[in-house]
Amino acid sequence: MNFDEFLAKSPTVTGKKGPHDQIVMSSRARLARNLVNSPFPGWAKKNERLKIFEKIRETIDKIPVMSNSFSESMDAITAVDKQVLVERHLISREHAANGIGSGLVVSPDALVSIMINEEDHMRMQALRPGLQVQEAFNEINNIDDLLEEHIEYAFNDTLGYLTACPTNIGSAIRVSAMLHLPGLVLAEQINQIIQAINKLGLAVRGLYGEGTEALGNIFQVSNQMTLGENELEIVERLNKVAAQLIEQEENARAIVLEKSPKLVYNNIGRAYGILANAHIISSKEALNLLSLVRLGIDIGLFPGIGRELVDDLFIRTQPAHLQKNHAGKLSAEQRDTLRADMIRERLLKVNRPLPEISGNKK
Amino acid sequence: MNFDEFLAKSPTVTGKKGPHDQIVMSSRARLARNLVNSPFPGWAKKNERLKIFEKIRETIDKIPVMSNSFSESMDAITAVDKQVLVERHLISREHAANGIGSGLVVSPDALVSIMINEEDHMRMQALRPGLQVQEAFNEINNIDDLLEEHIEYAFNDTLGYLTACPTNIGSAIRVSAMLHLPGLVLAEQINQIIQAINKLGLAVRGLYGEGTEALGNIFQVSNQMTLGENELEIVERLNKVAAQLIEQEENARAIVLEKSPKLVYNNIGRAYGILANAHIISSKEALNLLSLVRLGIDIGLFPGIGRELVDDLFIRTQPAHLQKNHAGKLSAEQRDTLRADMIRERLLKVNRPLPEISGNKK
């Protein structure tokens, strides 16, 4: 399967239904694994990396759930396709910079992806729509077990799984949930809540992971510790924090709607008005405004309109996804125009948000 | 006639048809006059000001064109009503601060107004819709002649009419045109053109005169010199500059539409989108966005919609006009809400601007 066939068939995780998907856009479990007695990718020479890549790829091929996968060496993937993979959260931004000796295997449903020779020999993840951290972990854990039947991992009885970076050593697991929290942002409670989450040993990051902005009011919450806790404790804690965040977000929405309805209507109305009428729009502005329209859908201001509309635009208006649909190389200005055209066209069928006329003349 | 009766009957000048009213919103001619052997208002004692006020008011009463006028002492006009008069350009912001001993007479059609004991004993102006500087001058000149049949003005054979401020001495005439120049602003030519106009001895000011911002892309062009030129030369020069500005604005619109159509569509689309969907909006933002919708109407992006819609909102969304329609005292926040409600309601019948979908995929 080549990349374009893969892309045409594979849905985006945010487009699927899942538990609490009003707030939790997706869940993810990722394991870092390295082969025993083999240098980490950052230390390995090119021919060593190539050997490791081929060995891992052959091993993955033996696992039934990974049959018919998209499987490719990074040097055979174009720069635009790499960015498409980043925008779909299937590879890291760092892996996009890799070439020969590194590779990628993605399951046909695009829910399991394995980066080969990223920072570790293997970074394997399972994505799930909504709040399904445990399910995502079970899936990737199962794949990990199947792989381990064929290859031996670098493992130390005291430290656990050995990884290139000491922050991953031990369970080498990272679980995360991507949450849409516009209510907490509008209620100006988000910073306080992020601090509280940090104290629990969890990290809160932006849309594209470490060091990225929380565009579109989307926050990624993940565990920071991998040493001294087992996987189940880690998953359990994330689930607990995610459940609290869902409740806090729902409360924040209710409170801000009760206390400052016009502020909410104003933000959502303006976001819709701009999206439905702009002819030039940046990726960043689009994400932030789409987030508010998503909130509007959630609180019933757009009767008959589903979240899929916004969730799909979240992905399709990203730079590489726009470029992917056009033959010539697009400039940033051209992308801003095409993005606006796409959004305007999709919103043609969406009426102005409620309330059109305010009954409240206070 | 009390103020509310006057207000209910009197139209706004920008709502009327006039030559070149696509660009020239209104024209104005103003004369400053002082009674002979009487102290200027700034020097006169209260009883002197009262005497002068009564004398002038009685004199105005004798002129047929000013019969059935709204005529009032400034202390009998409420603060809100004074601001309504400022927003309609019928009194200066300075005159709004005056109380007993100062007054105002406005013709029933609200096109002629005479401030009594503002900076001078009389500041009389005629307003006309569109480019009608000469007509406005003729009208106020006629009223001036009729008044002079009954009272003697402070006049010096060398200096001309004597005024409280030396910048008005001589002809004591100020003629101005209010121009809507969004094309020159979008084309980023406006500053250069303002400098050129300044060199011709004309001043360019904002919507509410000296020291105010050019909100809504509305610029007021007026003569600066009153000494050493006769009235006809002054009117002639303003007419000439206004004609040039009309041509430059039309060129700027054509060029910016030709070179950067998406920039124009983007600005107009966003302005419409925000106005049609906001629930909170400041006076300043409303003016600036309404200006872009007015441009959109001019260039055919809103088929079937006339400029009156915008011109009316320009006036009715101003703070005092909003307050005037409500019993209790409104806070700025409440005004911002009522303003947004009014605009959203008026724009319910206005469809999204063209082009809805861009055919141009360049």
Side-chain angles (χ1 to χ4, degrees):
Chain A
M1 179 157 55
N2 73 24
F3 187 80
D4 290 347
E5 287 167 1
F6 158 71
L7 199 65
K9 282 184 193 171
S10 73
T12 61
V13 66
T14 44
K16 295 188 169 184
K17 295 279 168 204
H20 302 290
D21 60 5
Q22 178 173 337
I23 289 167
V24 185
M25 303 186 73
S26 63
S27 300
R28 191 164 66 122
R30 184 268 283 158
L31 299 175
R33 294 290 182 262
N34 288 280
L35 306 189
V36 71
N37 297 327
S38 305
F40 290 134
W43 300 91
K45 297 202 165 45
K46 183 178 163 184
N47 64 332
E48 290 172 316
R49 287 207 314 276
L50 277 168
K51 221 177 102 189
I52 292 164
F53 169 42
E54 283 310 325
K55 183 173 177 184
I56 291 172
R57 182 140 87 158
E58 282 164 21
T59 310
I60 295 170
D61 270 351
K62 293 175 187 162
I63 299 177
V65 295
M66 294 303 284
S67 63
N68 297 316
S69 283
F70 167 73
S71 171
E72 197 60 89
S73 168
M74 290 312 281
D75 63 306
I77 305 178
T78 67
V80 169
D81 290 349
K82 284 175 173 177
Q83 285 308 314
V84 167
L85 290 165
V86 170
E87 289 170 3
R88 295 211 174 190
H89 301 284
L90 294 173
I91 65 171
S92 63
R93 292 183 298 168
E94 291 72 20
H95 203 47
N98 288 335
I100 193 156
S102 292
L104 173 69
V105 182
V106 187
S107 64
D109 61 5
L111 293 181
V112 174
S113 73
I114 303 174
M115 293 187 281
I116 304 170
N117 285 332
E118 198 240 26
E119 189 179 279
D120 295 298
H121 294 149
M122 272 193 279
R123 286 282 181 100
M124 50 184 122
Q125 72 167 20
L127 281 167
R128 286 286 181 122
L131 184 59
Q132 298 193 70
V133 184
Q134 184 67 57
E135 292 79 356
F137 172 71
N138 292 346
E139 177 155 21
I140 205 64
N141 194 41
N142 176 44
I143 290 170
D144 183 46
D145 289 347
L146 294 169
L147 287 170
E148 210 169 0
E149 291 176 8
H150 304 280
I151 43 181
E152 192 183 346
Y153 289 145
F155 185 85
N156 175 293
D157 285 339
T158 312
L159 292 170
Y161 290 102
L162 301 180
T163 54
C165 178
T167 59
N168 290 307
I169 219 161
S171 61
I173 181 181
R174 176 145 294 152
V175 286
S176 64
M178 196 84 86
L179 294 101
H180 184 231
L181 305 174
L184 289 169
V185 173
L186 275 178
E188 297 177 2
Q189 294 174 22
I190 193 73
N191 289 332
Q192 177 188 339
I193 282 176
I194 288 175
Q195 283 172 22
I197 295 173
N198 288 341
K199 284 183 187 155
L200 293 172
L202 294 166
V204 183
R205 300 190 169 97
L207 185 54
Y208 291 109
E210 205 159 341
T212 65
E213 269 182 281
L215 294 175
N217 302 313
I218 296 168
F219 296 83
Q220 190 179 306
V221 182
S222 62
N223 65 306
Q224 274 187 311
M225 304 271 287
T226 53
L227 201 57
E229 273 190 320
N230 70 34
E231 291 89 340
L232 291 183
E233 286 167 337
I234 290 170
V235 169
E236 192 48 47
R237 178 179 301 157
L238 182 66
N239 264 332
K240 204 171 150 187
V241 167
Q244 279 171 355
L245 276 170
I246 292 169
E247 195 185 327
Q248 285 166 326
E249 170 66 15
E250 279 169 351
N251 283 344
R253 291 181 185 189
I255 287 167
V256 81
L257 258 174
E258 169 70 25
K259 281 196 182 166
S260 320
K262 290 191 188 286
L263 175 79
V264 179
Y265 301 154
N266 188 50
N267 279 286
I268 294 171
R270 283 169 177 257
Y272 163 83
I274 292 171
L275 290 169
N277 293 284
H279 286 253
I280 300 169
I281 195 164
S282 72
S283 174
K284 186 171 164 175
E285 187 185 8
L287 274 172
N288 287 333
L289 300 183
L290 284 167
S291 161
L292 289 164
V293 171
R294 194 183 202 268
L295 174 63
I297 292 170
D298 289 347
I299 65 174
L301 302 188
F302 294 95
I305 303 298
R307 268 195 298 280
E308 317 81 65
L309 177 91
V310 171
D311 289 345
D312 191 52
L313 283 171
F314 268 146
I315 294 292
R316 305 214 178 270
T317 58
Q318 294 300 298
H321 276 80
L322 281 172
Q323 177 62 70
K324 190 70 192 155
N325 285 324
H326 281 266
K329 171 93 180 84
L330 297 170
S331 66
E333 288 73 24
Q334 289 171 316
R335 283 201 306 270
D336 289 352
T337 294
L338 287 168
R339 180 179 297 115
D341 288 349
M342 177 190 284
I343 296 171
R344 229 170 48 253
E345 190 161 358
R346 295 279 187 100
L347 292 190
L348 265 184
K349 63 175 178 194
V350 181
N351 291 328
R352 292 177 195 185
L354 300 175
E356 285 194 320
I357 299 302
S358 172
N360 178 5
K361 290 280 185 190
K362 78 163 179 183
Chain B
M1 180 159 51
N2 73 24
F3 187 80
D4 290 347
E5 287 167 3
F6 159 72
L7 198 67
K9 282 185 192 168
S10 72
T12 62
V13 66
T14 45
K16 295 188 169 185
K17 295 281 169 204
H20 302 290
D21 60 6
Q22 179 172 338
I23 290 167
V24 185
M25 301 186 75
S26 63
S27 300
R28 190 165 66 122
R30 184 269 283 159
L31 299 175
R33 294 290 183 262
N34 289 280
L35 305 190
V36 72
N37 296 329
S38 306
F40 291 133
W43 298 90
K45 298 202 164 48
K46 184 176 163 187
N47 65 331
E48 290 173 316
R49 288 208 313 276
L50 278 168
K51 221 177 100 186
I52 292 165
F53 168 41
E54 283 309 327
K55 183 174 176 181
I56 291 172
R57 181 141 86 158
E58 281 164 24
T59 310
I60 296 170
D61 270 350
K62 295 175 185 162
I63 299 176
V65 296
M66 294 303 284
S67 64
N68 297 316
S69 283
F70 166 73
S71 172
E72 198 58 89
S73 168
M74 291 312 282
D75 62 305
I77 305 178
T78 67
V80 169
D81 290 349
K82 285 174 173 179
Q83 285 307 314
V84 167
L85 290 164
V86 170
E87 290 170 4
R88 294 209 173 190
H89 301 284
L90 294 174
I91 64 171
S92 63
R93 291 183 297 167
E94 290 73 20
H95 202 46
N98 287 336
I100 193 155
S102 292
L104 173 70
V105 182
V106 188
S107 65
D109 61 5
L111 293 180
V112 175
S113 73
I114 304 175
M115 292 186 281
I116 304 170
N117 285 334
E118 196 240 25
E119 189 178 279
D120 295 299
H121 293 149
M122 272 193 278
R123 286 283 180 100
M124 50 184 123
Q125 71 167 22
L127 281 167
R128 286 285 181 123
L131 184 59
Q132 297 193 71
V133 184
Q134 184 67 58
E135 291 80 354
F137 172 71
N138 291 347
E139 178 155 19
I140 205 64
N141 194 40
N142 175 45
I143 289 168
D144 183 47
D145 289 348
L146 294 169
L147 288 170
E148 212 170 0
E149 290 175 10
H150 304 281
I151 42 180
E152 192 182 347
Y153 287 145
F155 186 85
N156 175 293
D157 286 340
T158 312
L159 293 171
Y161 290 102
L162 302 179
T163 54
C165 178
T167 59
N168 290 307
I169 219 160
S171 61
I173 180 182
R174 177 144 293 154
V175 286
S176 64
M178 196 84 87
L179 294 101
H180 184 231
L181 305 175
L184 288 169
V185 172
L186 275 178
E188 297 177 2
Q189 293 172 24
I190 193 72
N191 289 332
Q192 178 188 337
I193 282 177
I194 288 175
Q195 283 171 23
I197 294 174
N198 288 340
K199 283 183 188 154
L200 292 172
L202 295 166
V204 183
R205 299 191 171 95
L207 184 55
Y208 292 110
E210 206 159 341
T212 65
E213 270 183 282
L215 294 174
N217 301 313
I218 296 169
F219 297 83
Q220 188 179 308
V221 182
S222 62
N223 65 304
Q224 274 186 309
M225 305 270 287
T226 52
L227 200 58
E229 273 189 322
N230 68 35
E231 291 90 340
L232 292 181
E233 287 167 336
I234 290 170
V235 169
E236 193 47 46
R237 177 179 300 156
L238 181 65
N239 264 331
K240 205 171 148 185
V241 166
Q244 280 172 355
L245 276 171
I246 292 169
E247 196 184 326
Q248 285 166 326
E249 170 65 17
E250 279 169 351
N251 283 343
R253 291 181 184 188
I255 287 166
V256 81
L257 258 174
E258 168 70 27
K259 282 195 180 166
S260 320
K262 290 190 189 286
L263 175 79
V264 179
Y265 301 154
N266 188 51
N267 279 285
I268 294 171
R270 283 168 177 258
Y272 163 82
I274 292 171
L275 289 169
N277 293 283
H279 286 253
I280 301 170
I281 195 163
S282 72
S283 174
K284 186 171 165 175
E285 186 184 10
L287 274 171
N288 287 333
L289 300 182
L290 285 167
S291 162
L292 289 164
V293 171
R294 195 183 201 266
L295 174 64
I297 292 170
D298 289 347
I299 65 174
L301 302 189
F302 294 95
I305 303 297
R307 268 194 298 282
E308 317 81 65
L309 178 90
V310 171
D311 289 345
D312 191 51
L313 282 171
F314 268 146
I315 294 292
R316 306 216 176 268
T317 58
Q318 295 300 297
H321 277 80
L322 281 172
Q323 177 62 70
K324 190 68 192 157
N325 285 323
H326 281 266
K329 171 91 180 87
L330 297 170
S331 65
E333 289 72 23
Q334 288 171 318
R335 283 201 306 270
D336 288 352
T337 294
L338 287 169
R339 180 180 296 115
D341 288 349
M342 177 191 284
I343 296 172
R344 230 169 48 252
E345 189 162 358
R346 295 278 188 102
L347 292 188
L348 266 184
K349 63 177 179 193
V350 181
N351 291 327
R352 292 175 194 186
L354 301 174
E356 285 194 320
I357 299 303
S358 173
N360 177 4
K361 290 281 186 191
K362 79 165 180 181

